[in-house]
Amino acid sequence: MPVTIAQLQKWKQQKKSIAALTATDYAIAKLLDKAGVDLVLVGDSLAMVALGYKNTLPVTLDDMIRHAQAVGRGIENALLIVDLPFLSYQVSTEEAMRSAGRIFKETDAKGIKLEGGYPEMVETIRRLVQVGIPVMGHVGLTPQSVHRIGYRVQGVTPEGAQEILHQSKALVEAGIFALLLENIPEKLATQITELIPVPTIGIGAGTGCDGQILVTHDVLGLSDWQPPFARKYADLQSTITDAVKQYCQDVRSQ
Ligand code: KIV
């Protein structure tokens, strides 16, 4: 049965944890779906793990759409969410609307995710929701702001924690269907999860969230570097290197 946004809400009430992962291509998306992942995010981290950039900033809306189309073709049941990339939604609400519109017209996405909980972004999200676009919020460490905040844990000071709490409530009030909490203290993530009526999906935010997400390349050991909170469940770099070495050896010894 395809997972719906309404289902995520029910799972929060039933305290059933949501298992989410990222995908960048058809083959991996198909495997994630077959393995029973609830939510697949075409995250803008594909800039690094699929396109080889240093951070998420260079990825374009066309890149996101091309990858989301491929991922969508591999998915039968998981809920497909797509990130809006840097500067495709921050300049104006009109631009956010056009970017989100392209995602919905050109892919099978059931929702979009965008970063930030400051007042202008809250207003943009309110407008997107008004026209029928399901939005997942994203607060805490927001990688599109890397040059301002770095990759540090956010919400560590009492003022910082208060600000993230305030942004989370404002985003809920604007109509988000779920909230991604990235790299914030477990206590704060648990507090937000208990306070807001929509599911929280954590990454580096402890075990108190309604669900968890990781970057699939980190989980499978395909990336050169993993953040400390990302548990590696396989070492595909070694598996692939060994297999390819064996192939080269076989070809050369024919
Ligand atoms: O782009 C991404 O991979 C993300 C992570 C926080 C899951 O947004």
Side-chain angles (χ1 to χ4, degrees):
M1 278 277 282
V3 175
T4 60
I5 285 174
Q7 191 73 57
L8 298 188
Q9 314 279 345
K10 263 192 214 134
W11 286 341
K12 177 172 177 106
Q13 283 148 24
Q14 296 166 353
K15 299 202 179 306
K16 176 186 177 298
S17 286
I18 300 157
L21 281 172
T22 63
T24 64
D25 65 83
Y26 169 76
I28 293 284
K30 209 168 156 188
L31 293 173
L32 300 186
D33 194 64
K34 215 168 144 193
V37 167
D38 300 314
L39 183 156
V40 168
L41 170 73
V42 180
D44 59 357
S45 59
L46 72 79
M48 288 93 88
V49 299
L51 300 178
Y53 291 121
K54 284 195 168 53
N55 55 48
T56 61
L57 304 187
V59 80
T60 65
L61 187 58
D62 285 338
D63 292 331
M64 295 305 296
I65 289 173
R66 174 56 72 93
H67 284 269
Q69 287 168 337
V71 169
R73 288 192 279 267
I75 284 181
E76 274 180 33
N77 291 316
L79 184 71
L80 178 61
I81 306 299
V82 179
D83 266 350
L84 284 191
F86 180 59
L87 239 49
S88 71
Y89 61 97
Q90 290 96 337
V91 174
S92 68
T93 297
E94 287 73 16
E95 205 166 340
M97 201 82 90
R98 288 212 168 79
S99 300
R102 277 200 63 199
I103 300 267
F104 282 94
K105 283 178 183 286
E106 298 176 42
T107 80
D108 281 336
K110 303 294 183 295
I112 51 158
K113 175 167 80 59
L114 38 83
E115 298 182 5
Y118 48 91
E120 292 81 358
M121 191 51 62
V122 170
E123 286 320 305
T124 291
I125 290 174
R126 192 188 312 283
R127 188 77 188 102
L128 290 169
V129 173
Q130 262 174 6
V131 300
I133 295 174
V135 179
M136 177 187 272
H138 181 160
V139 294
L141 198 171
T142 45
Q144 292 177 13
S145 307
V146 57
H147 293 312
R148 185 170 59 82
I149 63 173
Y151 288 120
R152 280 185 299 279
V153 183
Q154 300 295 302
V156 179
T157 62
E159 302 76 40
Q162 205 45 48
E163 178 59 20
I164 293 173
L165 191 63
H166 170 75
Q167 291 186 357
S168 303
K169 287 193 214 160
L171 288 168
V172 169
E173 192 260 319
I176 55 165
F177 72 86
L179 182 61
L180 193 140
L181 300 173
E182 179 165 356
N183 226 356
I184 62 172
E186 176 159 12
K187 198 171 148 212
L188 174 60
T190 308
Q191 190 187 358
I192 294 170
T193 302
E194 285 167 1
L195 207 79
I196 67 174
V198 304
T200 59
I201 312 286
I203 177 164
T207 56
C209 297
D210 297 306
Q212 297 291 331
I213 188 162
L214 285 173
V215 173
T216 294
H217 285 65
D218 295 340
V219 170
L220 299 182
L222 277 169
S223 25
D224 293 330
W225 174 89
Q226 290 93 31
F229 53 75
R231 183 163 158 210
K232 201 159 128 179
Y233 286 78
D235 184 3
L236 291 196
Q237 273 201 349
S238 304
T239 307
I240 292 172
T241 308
D242 290 350
V244 174
K245 274 188 189 160
Q246 187 61 54
Y247 166 75
C248 292
Q249 208 175 312
D250 288 350
V251 170
R252 286 169 194 145
S253 64
Q254 274 169 10

